[in-house]
């Protein structure tokens, strides 16, 4: 038997990249690759890059510098290490990477992961391979998914891509250029994926897409289905107890989605709805095509369907031309809404995007100072939101054994990690937990069913927080 080859994937960025990393592992498994957490003994290293963050490409080049050392060390022991750059930086800067980084064997864009085995064979044969074209799509306008048998369940919670690309063209964002225009997968294919995952023990599905609520895949009735209709149908699949979706755009919130929150208990009351800024002037410059008031109205529609819905968002501070007054409008919006959590970023110009040409830039000092103020406000809201759970009884979907022996960790409907002392027989179940304390972002509690819980969970060490967003 030949030794399995070892594959190390380092992923940056959004949930789409987390999912894509799984897709690459699945594509390479039939080639004899198994995952390793160590770069040093990998035969293949994939950098799954994200173009959204500041200095994204510089970070890739410095990571490649470190990998060159590892590759040289492997070569000294007679072992070949191949290096692949994947993801959105690969898509956007493929030729440049090949030119600047001789250590790289393959550059592959997100639309071409199913070709990885061929591209690697090309590299093995002594060449270097680059594939970043937007390919010819199937008759539904979608990429060939991994072979059915290759979709393996990984635990209790799984992502399923339902939509890719974005047509919104926010002026700061590279996604429409790196991921292409919006395409939705047909309903039947998504149902097949979810059924297979449920059969393999998955209980929670997060539907992902760059503009997931722009979903409009072909339905079995020959008509396009909206996201709310899809969620309602997926909730009927035996074994699926929780449904989530990310990332949504405020302009694409249809009534069917609001109704799904109202009528379908499996649809979790936790919505990631980026707004980016609270200033109408800045929203205009960002080409968001909505005002702060429009956004508040969308929030109210959700809240009208279900009182306990909590929101998360993304914010950009220091967009070109952002005045103190504009920034104050962002703080006011955050204060008015009260978020469970949010991501905030300093604006960074992405080459090729319209905002990169705007001249009225905000100084680094002002940006830093605004970021701190915004993050403080959001942190306070997050702490208050988490602390409000103490003393209440909340349903938790248990996912796995925690690091501390005897502890099992799961998540509340609002994605807060919750720890109890219990047997691992509860993994995969949703059980009510009475929350007793909070350690950083993690809740500790007792199962309300006494037979399953053990008496004391006092003074347990904290567990690192988890974030799911980009
Ligand atoms: N600068 C800063 N933040 C950005 N984001 C996207 N592009 C940029 C940029 N050029 C942020 C947005 C988006 C999140 C995924 O990343 O807030 O919602
Ligand atoms: Fe980028 Fe989101 Fe705007 Fe699309 S909606 S262009 S993904 S920020």
């Amino acid at each position: 038997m030949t030794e399995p080859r070892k594959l190390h994937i380092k992923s940056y960025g959004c949930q789409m990249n987390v999912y894509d990393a799984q897709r690459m592992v699945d594509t390479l498994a039939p080639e004899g690759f198994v995952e390793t957490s160590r770069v040093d003994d990998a035969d293949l290293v994939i950098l799954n890059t994200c173009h959204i963050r500041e200095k994204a490409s510089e970070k890739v080049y410095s990571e490649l510098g470190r990998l060159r050392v590892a590759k040289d060390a492997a070569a000294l022991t007679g072992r070949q290490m191949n290096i692949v750059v994947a993801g959105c930086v690969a898509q956007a800067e493929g030729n440049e990477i090949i030119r600047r980084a001789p250590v790289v064997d393959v550059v592959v864009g997100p639309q071409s992961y199913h070709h990885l085995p061929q591209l690697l064979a090309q590299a093995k044969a002594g060449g270097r391979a680059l594939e970043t074209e937007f390919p010819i799509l199937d008759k539904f306008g979608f990429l060939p998914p991994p072979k059915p048998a290759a979709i393996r369940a990984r635990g209790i919670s799984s992502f399923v891509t339902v939509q890719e690309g974005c047509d919104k063209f926010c002026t700061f964002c590279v996604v429409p250029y790196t991921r292409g225009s919006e395409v939705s997968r047909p309903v039947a294919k998504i149902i097949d994926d979810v059924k297979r995952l449920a059969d393999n023990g998955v209980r929670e599905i997060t539907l992902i897409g760059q503009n997931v609520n722009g979903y409009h895949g072909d339905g079995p009735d020959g008509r396009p289905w909206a996201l709310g209709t899809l969620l309602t149908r997926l909730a009927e699949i035996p074994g699926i107890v929780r449904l989530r979706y990310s990332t949504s755009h405020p302009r694409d919130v249809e009534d069917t989605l609001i109704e799904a929150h109202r009528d379908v208990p499996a649809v979790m009351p936790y919505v990631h709805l980026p707004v980016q800024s609270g200033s109408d002037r800045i929203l205009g410059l960002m080409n968001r095509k909505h005002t702060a008031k429009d956004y508040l109205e969308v929030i109210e529609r959700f809240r009208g369907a279900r009182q306990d819905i909590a929101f998360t968002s993304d914010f950009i501070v220091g967009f070109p031309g952002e005045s103190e007054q504009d920034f104050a409008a962002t703080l006011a919006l955050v204060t008015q809404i009260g978020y469970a959590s949010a991501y905030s970023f300093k604006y960074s110009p992405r080459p090729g995007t319209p905002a990169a040409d705007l001249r009225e830039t905000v100084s680094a000092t002002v940006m830093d100072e605004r970021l701190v103020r915004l993050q403080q406000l959001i942190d306070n809201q997050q702490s208050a939101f988490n602390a409000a759970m103490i003393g209440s009884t909340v349903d938790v979907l248990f996912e796995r054994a925690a690091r501390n022996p005897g502890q099992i960790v799961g998540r509340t409907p609002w994605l807060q990690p919750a720890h109890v002392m219990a047997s691992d027989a509860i993994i995969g179940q949703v059980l009510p937990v009475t929350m007793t304390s909070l350690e950083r972002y993690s809740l500790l509690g007792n199962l309300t069913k006494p037979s399953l819980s053990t008496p004391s969970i006092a003074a347990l060490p904290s567990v690192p927080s988890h974030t799911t967003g980009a």
Side-chain angles (χ1 to χ4, degrees):
M1 220 176 76
T2 51
E3 280 270 296
R5 288 184 287 169
K6 292 189 185 146
L7 157 67
H8 178 82
I9 299 198
K10 190 162 184 183
S11 251
Y12 304 84
C14 65
Q15 286 170 334
M16 188 67 83
N17 266 12
V18 176
Y19 175 86
D20 281 349
Q22 290 183 4
R23 216 155 49 113
M24 288 190 261
V25 173
D26 288 340
T27 306
L28 291 167
E31 308 291 311
F33 280 101
V34 292
E35 260 187 290
T36 173
S37 57
R38 292 174 42 113
V39 176
D40 293 340
D41 43 58
D43 301 294
L44 174 61
V45 178
I46 301 180
L47 290 186
N48 190 18
T49 61
C50 169
H51 204 256
I52 275 180
R53 292 290 161 271
E54 247 186 319
K55 304 199 177 79
S57 36
E58 284 101 293
K59 282 180 192 153
V60 172
Y61 288 112
S62 55
E63 187 67 41
L64 287 172
R66 285 189 284 276
L67 286 177
R68 188 163 49 87
V69 176
K71 186 172 181 165
D72 289 347
L76 284 176
T77 66
R79 195 163 51 83
Q80 191 185 5
M81 182 190 276
N82 285 121
I83 311 250
V84 173
V85 179
C88 291
V89 177
Q91 181 67 39
E93 301 182 21
N95 282 315
E96 176 72 3
I97 295 170
I98 288 283
R99 198 181 60 74
R100 256 182 76 177
V103 69
V104 174
D105 300 293
V106 173
V107 174
V108 58
Q111 274 74 12
S112 306
Y113 294 153
H114 55 295
H115 286 157
L116 260 172
Q118 294 93 305
L119 295 169
L120 281 168
Q122 221 172 306
K124 283 263 178 229
R128 297 169 79 205
L130 166 75
E131 188 171 321
T132 53
E133 292 303 309
F134 285 102
I136 313 262
L137 303 171
D138 69 15
K139 68 176 169 147
F140 302 108
F142 214 78
L143 290 163
K147 292 187 195 76
I151 294 183
R152 279 181 285 131
R154 289 173 180 79
I156 299 302
S157 185
S158 189
F159 296 132
V160 170
T161 295
V162 299
Q163 179 276 334
E164 273 191 82
C166 183
D167 298 334
K168 289 280 186 286
F169 289 92
C170 300
T171 52
F172 53 80
C173 183
V174 287
V175 167
Y177 310 98
T178 56
R179 296 280 179 156
S181 59
E182 281 179 24
V183 179
S184 297
R185 293 180 68 203
V187 171
K189 294 197 173 221
I190 297 164
I191 292 176
D192 277 356
D193 285 356
V194 174
K195 277 186 179 158
R196 202 170 318 112
L197 289 166
D199 288 346
N200 282 288
V202 169
R203 297 288 162 260
E204 175 180 81
I205 300 285
T206 304
L207 304 181
I208 56 172
Q210 264 94 27
N211 181 20
V212 73
N213 58 329
Y215 178 82
H216 54 266
D218 287 341
D221 53 4
R223 276 187 262 173
W225 280 24
L227 183 65
T229 318
L230 177 68
L231 287 165
T232 306
R233 171 65 188 89
L234 295 179
E236 291 166 5
I237 294 175
I240 297 303
V241 294
R242 285 187 170 183
L243 292 167
R244 305 179 182 278
Y245 56 92
S246 190
T247 292
S248 299
H249 193 287
R251 285 186 58 224
D252 289 343
V253 177
E254 294 185 12
D255 285 341
T256 44
L257 182 60
I258 304 281
E259 283 153 18
H261 277 280
R262 186 192 62 199
D263 301 335
V264 184
V267 177
M268 288 294 101
Y270 195 64
V271 178
H272 184 55
L273 197 64
V275 63
Q276 315 296 353
S277 168
S279 151
D280 289 346
R281 205 176 66 79
I282 297 297
L283 288 169
L285 289 171
M286 288 177 165
N287 191 34
R288 296 286 295 180
K289 298 207 174 87
H290 63 77
T291 61
K293 183 162 167 286
D294 296 333
Y295 181 80
L296 282 164
E297 280 168 10
V298 175
I299 298 271
E300 282 319 308
R301 281 167 65 214
F302 276 109
R303 285 184 171 151
R306 215 182 139 159
Q307 283 254 302
D308 64 350
I309 295 194
F311 296 91
T312 65
S313 187
D314 293 340
F315 293 93
I316 295 177
V317 301
F319 188 82
E322 185 189 67
S323 66
E324 181 55 34
Q325 199 186 344
D326 293 317
F327 179 65
T330 299
L331 294 179
L333 184 76
V334 173
T335 306
Q336 189 171 352
I337 289 171
Y339 286 101
S341 150
Y343 302 97
S344 37
F345 310 102
K346 285 187 279 187
Y347 170 73
S348 82
R350 312 299 339 155
T353 58
D357 297 332
L358 297 175
R359 290 283 145 255
E360 228 188 304
T361 53
V362 174
S363 78
T365 328
V366 170
M367 257 198 240
D368 285 340
E369 179 258 342
R370 286 183 189 162
L371 188 72
V372 169
R373 281 159 71 198
L374 177 60
Q375 288 186 338
Q376 249 161 26
L377 177 61
I378 292 165
D379 274 359
N380 290 344
Q381 293 189 339
Q382 182 169 9
S383 302
F385 181 78
N386 289 338
M389 299 288 149
I390 296 169
S392 62
T393 300
V394 175
D395 278 348
V396 172
L397 170 59
F398 287 97
E399 290 184 5
R400 57 185 168 80
R403 233 179 280 158
N404 297 314
Q407 256 192 349
I408 307 294
V409 60
R411 294 200 176 260
T412 70
W414 303 280
L415 274 187
Q416 297 143 305
H419 293 72
V420 300
M421 295 297 284
S423 119
D424 59 11
I426 67 168
I427 292 172
Q429 295 183 41
V430 176
L431 295 169
V433 173
T434 303
M435 301 302 173
T436 52
S437 62
L438 175 69
E439 293 205 12
R440 281 181 62 77
Y441 300 103
S442 247
L443 289 160
L444 303 175
N446 294 314
L447 285 173
T448 40
K449 292 214 182 79
S451 60
L452 286 170
S453 66
T454 44
S456 169
I457 58 155
L460 289 167
S462 69
V463 173
S465 72
H466 170 97
T467 54
T468 55

